[in-house]
Amino acid sequence: MELLVVLTLLSLVMVAMASALRTASQTEERVDVRLQRMDDLRTVSGFLRSILGRVSAQKISTPVAAGASPYFFQGAVSSMNWVGVMPARYGAGGRYHFRLELTDAGVLVLHFTPWEGTAAVPDWAVGQSTPLLAGVTGLTFQYEDAAVEPPEWSASWAIIDRLPEKVSITVQTSSGTWPEIVVPLRVLPGSDPRTSGPVFGGT
């Protein structure tokens, strides 16, 4: 009887230990997933802010279709094209055409190709691309028109005589929706048609 009691108690202790180890393992996995999600959010949002923070207002020098925007900037619901500056720490610096979109495989991809002047429309078939984030289930853009009071947000940019003041990016992933990324679009001084003459001291 004493041996039976000891075995029973030992079995209960082993079950409790296994349950505790399983709980600790699951907690560690959840923490790792959360940390990875936060790291992805910090990295991707920081990169997007850096390349969207400086946008060019250069116009296409070749004729465009009636009612089409003369700018290289194109803002749609789930993709965006613009001309900006590639940060030097991510590769060759300088002015580039960019395109941000979500692929059918659920990957947030940035396409880029070097700027070749106002007459050259980018050929994305020969451009480069880099995946920014996998497991994306949804991507939505919104664009702010600050020329009206109060400022209005729209799902696509159809105004042809100016660029939006801000861009809002919403990313949905399999683990949840990211906080909204709002980026003010600062026009590069050399491309801003409102400026004339030399510009000193940044923007």
Side-chain angles (χ1 to χ4, degrees):
M1 288 296 295
E2 292 177 354
L3 180 61
L4 182 60
V5 170
V6 170
L7 291 176
T8 302
L9 293 176
L10 182 60
S11 299
L12 292 175
V13 170
M14 294 298 295
V15 169
M17 290 181 60
S19 178
L21 291 174
R22 183 170 60 253
T23 301
S25 176
Q26 292 174 349
T27 301
E28 184 179 1
E29 290 178 359
R30 288 194 296 268
V31 170
D32 288 342
V33 170
R34 186 175 182 84
L35 290 176
Q36 182 63 45
R37 179 173 178 266
M38 293 176 63
D39 188 58
D40 290 341
L41 171 61
R42 182 173 59 254
T43 302
V44 174
S45 63
F47 178 71
L48 292 179
R49 291 179 190 278
S50 67
I51 61 173
L52 275 173
R54 294 179 293 173
V55 62
S56 174
Q58 291 282 0
K59 294 183 178 181
I60 304 172
S61 60
T62 55
V64 297
S69 174
Y71 296 101
F72 286 98
F73 183 91
Q74 296 178 356
V77 177
S78 57
S79 65
M80 189 171 68
N81 297 6
W82 74 98
V83 173
V85 176
M86 176 73 79
R89 64 182 178 274
Y90 293 109
R95 192 172 297 183
Y96 277 76
H97 292 276
F98 294 103
R99 178 178 177 83
L100 184 65
E101 65 177 356
L102 179 62
T103 67
D104 294 336
V107 180
L108 181 63
V109 175
L110 178 70
H111 306 277
F112 54 96
T113 184
W115 161 268
E116 297 180 354
T118 58
V121 178
D123 182 5
W124 298 113
V126 298
Q128 297 177 277
S129 62
T130 181
L132 300 180
L133 185 66
V136 180
T137 58
L139 175 67
T140 305
F141 293 93
Q142 285 195 329
Y143 310 90
E144 184 192 59
D145 182 9
V148 297
E149 187 61 37
E152 295 180 351
W153 289 87
S154 59
S156 60
W157 188 252
I159 301 173
I160 65 175
D161 62 347
R162 59 182 180 274
L163 299 182
E165 188 74 16
K166 297 177 183 177
V167 173
S168 167
I169 307 173
T170 302
V171 179
Q172 294 94 28
T173 68
S174 54
S175 59
T177 301
W178 282 16
E180 182 182 22
I181 303 172
V182 179
V183 184
L185 299 185
R186 295 177 296 162
V187 177
L188 295 171
S191 69
D192 192 343
R194 299 170 297 182
T195 61
S196 60
V199 177
F200 302 96
T203 58

